[in-house]
């Protein structure tokens, strides 16, 4: 049965920006760098959110922070996500990022990583509603650009306080809310639940974005209908499949799946993505970063069995130079890839 969701009317507006569609790239540390954000934009993401940046400006001189804060050449709006546990520091970080060109500030209260939660940041903040309110009010007051928020449904199943946090956010002046349908203790395991998102949407007037397990056009449509959310946010579903954004948008508009990318299209996108990684990070680091992305592309490539995918990842991970990676990609994207790469005496030898 086709689920019809209007895609051209009622598009959410956040501050002065209207989303061109209802599909957003979720912020993912170590994944949504500038090359990946730009690629997803080109392939249909309505907008994208940068990697989480620490709210402590004393750490911004590090290479990691400098790369995460690089938004050169990106179209509007430039969304910067900040994370921390101190209201004054988060407010200062918001001001400084706005001065550096951020057009929307997103506050992270959803990250489940231990190293973030151990610093009373990310989803750990959901345990302290008074601190949440203090942070939101301080950041909103600090800047004259829109401030948004990303949360989980709560810290654990027993303290599912997503609705209360959402109401605090709206009262503080947060202009949109993204909700991952898991509590922190689930991390990324089990099934996302959408009842909490639906309840939050029914009680708020600001745009609400549903996140969690959005891995297909059909799932996106189902979640939009079930929750009433204004948009969906795609995270892991985009890893190795940046085409998911245009696929979801097409399905929402026409009620049918668009054709999958051809092998030629996949070849072109993969080469361009890896080239952008090399340029952005430099040859040494770019080669390393490319390995995980190519691994995700292989996971999504139906031409290969899982054992073949594992063997191909091992081959690619052993390559140490950019030109070696491009030669391998050309072989992998050829019609006779299995013969070229998996035969005895190939790259794996």
């Amino acid at each position: 049965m086709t689920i019809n969701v209007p895609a051209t009317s009622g598009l959410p507006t956040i501050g002065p920006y209207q989303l061109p569609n209802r599909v957003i790239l979720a912020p993912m540390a170590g994944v949504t760098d500038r090359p990946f954000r730009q690629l997803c934009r080109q392939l249909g993401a309505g907008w994208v959110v940068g990697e989480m940046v620490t709210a402590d400006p004393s750490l911004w001189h590090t290479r990691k922070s400098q790369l995460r804060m690089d938004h050169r050449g990106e179209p509007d709006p430039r969304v910067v996500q900040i994370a921390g546990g101190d209201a004054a520091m988060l407010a200062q970080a918001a001001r400084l990022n706005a001065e550096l060109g951020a057009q929307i500030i997103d506050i992270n209260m959803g990250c489940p990583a231990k190293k973030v939660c151990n610093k009373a940041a990310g989803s750990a903040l959901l345990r302290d509603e008074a601190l949440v309110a203090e942070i939101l009010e301080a950041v909103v007051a600090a800047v004259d650009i829109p401030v948004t928020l990303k949360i989980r449904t709560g810290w654990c199943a027993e303290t599912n306080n997503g609705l209360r946090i959402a109401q605090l956010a709206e009262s503080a002046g947060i202009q949109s809310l993204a909700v991952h349908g898991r509590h922190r203790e689930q991390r990324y395991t089990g099934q996302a639940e959408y009842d909490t998102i639906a309840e939050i949407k029914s009680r708020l007037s600001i745009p609400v974005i549903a996140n969690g397990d959005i891995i297909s056009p059909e799932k996106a449509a189902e979640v939009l209908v079930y929750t009433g959310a204004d948009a969906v946010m795609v995270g892991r579903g985009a890893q190795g499949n940046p085409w998911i954004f245009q696929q979801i948008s097409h399905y929402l508009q026409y009620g049918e799946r668009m054709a999958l990318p051809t092998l030629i299209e996949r070849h072109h996108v993969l080469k361009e993505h890896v080239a952008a990684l090399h340029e952005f990070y430099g040859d040494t680091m770019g080669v390393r970063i490319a390995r995980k992305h190519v691994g995700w592309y292989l996971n999504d490539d139906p031409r290969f069995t899982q054992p073949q995918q594992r063997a191909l990842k091992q081959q690619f991970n052993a390559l140490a130079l950019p030109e070696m990676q491009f030669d391998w990609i050309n072989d992998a994207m050829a019609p006779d890839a299995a013969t070229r790469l998996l035969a005895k005496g190939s790259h794996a030898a």
Side-chain angles (χ1 to χ4, degrees), residues 61-106:
H61 68 281
T62 65
R63 177 169 169 77
K64 178 186 286 188
S65 290
Q66 288 292 310
L67 289 170
R68 289 188 175 188
M69 296 171 69
D70 188 340
H71 292 262
R72 287 174 296 176
E74 292 193 68
D76 297 348
R78 293 181 294 279
V79 188
V80 174
Q81 186 183 73
I82 57 176
D86 178 82
M89 187 176 287
L90 280 158
Q92 181 188 19
R95 281 192 296 269
L96 292 173
N97 273 290
E99 291 171 5
L100 291 170
Q103 294 169 304
I104 293 175
I105 296 294
D106 185 60

Side-chain angles (χ1 to χ4, degrees), residues 217-259:
E218 293 83 358
K219 184 70 171 184
E222 176 189 335
V223 170
L224 284 170
V225 169
Y226 187 83
T227 63
D230 300 277
V232 290
M233 180 173 273
V234 180
R236 290 172 294 163
Q239 294 175 357
N241 183 24
W243 299 273
I244 193 171
F245 300 99
Q246 61 187 21
Q247 291 167 351
I248 290 175
S249 291
H250 182 91
Y251 187 83
L252 296 181
Q253 185 168 0
Y254 299 107
E256 61 182 18
R257 276 204 174 225
M258 69 182 298

Side-chain angles (χ1 to χ4, degrees), residues 16 28-29 41 67 72 88 97 108 125 130 141 143 147 164 166 182 216 229 280-281 288 325 339 341:
M28 293 177 282
R41 271 284 184 89
L67 289 170
R72 287 174 296 176
N97 273 290
N108 183 311
L125 291 168
V143 293
V147 180
R164 292 199 300 277
R182 288 180 173 86
S216 71
F280 185 67
Y281 289 105
R288 294 174 184 169
Q325 289 191 335
T339 301
L341 290 174

Side-chain angles (χ1 to χ4, degrees), residues 69-227:
M69 296 171 69
D70 188 340
H71 292 262
R72 287 174 296 176
E74 292 193 68
D76 297 348
R78 293 181 294 279
V79 188
V80 174
Q81 186 183 73
I82 57 176
D86 178 82
M89 187 176 287
L90 280 158
Q92 181 188 19
R95 281 192 296 269
L96 292 173
N97 273 290
E99 291 171 5
L100 291 170
Q103 294 169 304
I104 293 175
I105 296 294
D106 185 60
I107 303 173
N108 183 311
M109 293 190 185
C111 180
K114 281 186 178 181
K115 65 181 179 180
V116 175
C117 290
N118 286 344
K119 296 179 180 178
S123 54
L125 291 168
L126 302 178
R127 294 180 293 183
D128 190 338
E129 294 179 16
L131 179 57
V132 166
E134 181 186 355
I135 287 171
L136 298 180
E137 290 167 5
V139 175
V140 169
V143 293
D144 58 3
I145 59 176
V147 180
T148 61
L149 175 66
K150 187 168 192 287
I151 66 171
R152 286 185 166 234
T153 58
W155 176 259
C156 62
E158 290 71 35
T159 59
N160 191 330
N161 61 342
L163 176 59
R164 292 199 300 277
I165 298 292
Q167 291 170 326
L168 288 173
E170 185 171 46
S171 297
I174 293 297
Q175 296 199 31
S176 80
L177 178 71
V179 186
H180 186 127
R182 288 180 173 86
H183 54 75
R184 187 269 172 180
E185 288 191 350
Q186 286 179 276
R187 292 170 175 82
Y188 297 101
T189 62
Q191 300 280 318
E193 59 94 356
Y194 306 108
D195 290 331
T196 301
I197 301 175
E199 183 180 17
I200 289 171
K201 174 57 188 173
S202 72
R203 304 283 287 275
L204 266 59
S205 59
I206 60 174
V208 173
I209 301 159
N211 177 224
D213 295 348
I214 311 294
I215 58 173
S216 71
E218 293 83 358
K219 184 70 171 184
E222 176 189 335
V223 170
L224 284 170
V225 169
Y226 187 83
T227 63

Side-chain angles (χ1 to χ4, degrees), residues 12-36:
T13 298
I14 301 173
Y17 306 104
Q18 184 177 56
L19 272 69
N21 59 43
R22 304 176 73 176
V23 197
I24 298 169
L25 171 65
M28 293 177 282
V31 180
T32 53
D33 52 22
R34 195 184 75 191
F36 192 62

